Amino acid sequence: MNSGSVTVLASSSRTIATGTWYSLSLAVSGSTINGSVNGTAIGSAASSVSAGGRVGLQTAYASAGFDDVAVNTGGGSTPTTPPPTTTPPPSGGQPTWPSATGSISLSNGTIAVSGTYDGGMKRVCCIGDGGQSESQDPVFDLAAGATLKNVIIGAPAGDGVHCAGNCRLENVWWEDVGEDAATFLGGTNYYVVGGGAKSGTDKVFQHNRPGTVHISGFYAQSSGKLYRACGNCSSSYQRHVVMDNIWATSTKVLAGINTNWGDTARFTNINILNDSSRSTVICDKYKGVPKGSEPDHIGSGADGVNCLYSASDITWR
Ligand code: ADA
Ligand code: CA
Ligand code: CA
């Protein structure tokens, strides 16, 4: 990486097991760079940009934990460090519904959040009428950059959670989704990490403005679409969704996107439960339209362009 531009010097592909540590190393000597995994050389390259700079670790469309990151400037042989003593992060089993530790009243209306709101696993309730009217107030209104975590949203749940900009919804559970569970209204990256939603009559996550919605470790139950890139909002945008480690049961569609606006949906580690007929649709494609009309459904399924997954990304349980 040099001044923001990335040059791939070498690449290697291999099978890995989740929940297992691997020792990665890069040895840089002059302009020669050698990479190894568990002590076995996997690639070598020459670069003129390696004389100085910093180290960095990155994943793309995947998550990993990095531990015992060491930089040895002594030169000579490939540095080695002892294996990590910590347990690797969980590889992601089926989530379980939490029980509430108490209650939070919405008698003063929507709760505005800037910074971090930690609900301590209490149940927050109630707002709206539980129906599909868009005029209901949200339960939480998150300012740009806010984090909402550890909360159970009871019913009726109005228009769910609004994110005015980038936001993080961590371990948030919707017991009965209102008009929708969360709406992404401006920003570049929105994260839904852990949590779950039941009974989203129509949609769970509603993406209205641009950016990428990242959903991981989420449990969707008895819902219409887990995610929809708005097909008829007042402004049209290219939108993206990345789903990893998703558990879904009785959910009709995981993602609905608008291919005419260049939307993409990526899926890894998707688990569909109790669907012997495999009727759950992973990725539905629409032709987005201006506000006031309804988008046409134009297809579904992996295509390598907009709907990005392969058969091995989906486990039918
Ligand atoms: C539907 C509706 C949109 C918008 C959206 C939302 O997709 O067609 O105009 O209201 O719901 O934000 O919930
Ligand atoms: Ca809505
Ligand atoms: Ca809606």
Side-chain angles (χ1 to χ4, degrees), residues 144-167:
T147 292
L148 173 67
K149 63 186 203 182
N150 304 328
V151 72
I152 298 171
I153 298 180
D159 202 43
V161 175
H162 286 187
C163 285
N166 291 350
C167 65

Side-chain angles (χ1 to χ4, degrees), residues 7-156:
T7 307
V8 177
L9 298 174
S11 68
S12 168
S13 152
R14 60 165 288 162
T15 304
I16 55 132
T18 55
T20 305
W21 290 108
Y22 292 86
S23 296
L24 315 180
S25 81
L26 276 183
V28 182
S29 175
S31 63
T32 305
I33 303 176
N34 288 301
S36 71
V37 176
N38 285 347
T40 304
I42 56 153
S44 175
S47 169
S48 56
V49 300
S50 62
R54 291 175 290 167
V55 299
L57 298 157
Q58 191 179 1
T59 67
Y61 304 111
S63 57
F66 296 105
D67 196 2
D68 291 2
V69 177
V71 179
N72 178 344
T73 58
S77 60
T78 303
T80 54
T81 61
T85 49
T86 51
T87 308
S91 58
Q94 180 176 348
T96 49
W97 281 84
S99 39
T101 58
S103 56
I104 298 167
S105 165
L106 285 172
S107 53
N108 292 326
T110 301
I111 298 174
V113 178
S114 53
T116 298
Y117 182 102
D118 186 337
M121 293 318 288
K122 290 183 179 157
R123 178 183 291 109
V124 54
C125 201
C126 312
I127 204 160
D129 60 13
Q132 290 294 298
S133 161
E134 288 287 7
S135 60
Q136 301 173 80
D137 286 334
V139 178
F140 288 100
D141 199 358
L142 272 59
T147 292
L148 173 67
K149 63 186 203 182
N150 304 328
V151 72
I152 298 171
I153 298 180

Side-chain angles (χ1 to χ4, degrees), residues 6 10 19 35 41 53 88 95 100 123 127 146 157 184 196 237 282 284 290 292:
V6 175
R123 178 183 291 109
I127 204 160
F184 304 105
Y237 302 96
I282 304 301
D284 256 344

Side-chain angles (χ1 to χ4, degrees), residues 264-284:
T264 63
R266 286 177 190 268
F267 306 85
T268 47
N269 300 311
I270 305 298
N271 303 277
I272 310 290
L273 310 173
N274 309 318
D275 183 9
S276 52
S277 62
R278 301 197 173 190
S279 57
T280 303
V281 176
I282 304 301
C283 190
D284 256 344

Side-chain angles (χ1 to χ4, degrees), residues 133-134 158-160 162 179-183 206 208:
S133 161
E134 288 287 7
D159 202 43
H162 286 187
E179 200 288 310
D180 41 35
T183 311
Q206 172 78 39
N208 288 0

Side-chain angles (χ1 to χ4, degrees), residues 245-301:
N245 184 22
I246 300 297
W247 297 76
T249 182
S250 303
T251 294
K252 290 188 187 117
V253 177
L254 295 192
I257 59 172
N258 310 298
T259 54
N260 55 320
W261 297 331
D263 294 353
T264 63
R266 286 177 190 268
F267 306 85
T268 47
N269 300 311
I270 305 298
N271 303 277
I272 310 290
L273 310 173
N274 309 318
D275 183 9
S276 52
S277 62
R278 301 197 173 190
S279 57
T280 303
V281 176
I282 304 301
C283 190
D284 256 344
K285 290 173 264 197
Y286 291 86
K287 183 175 180 222
V289 292
K291 193 170 180 69
S293 40
E294 277 300 312
D296 281 334
H297 180 248
I298 52 176
S300 54

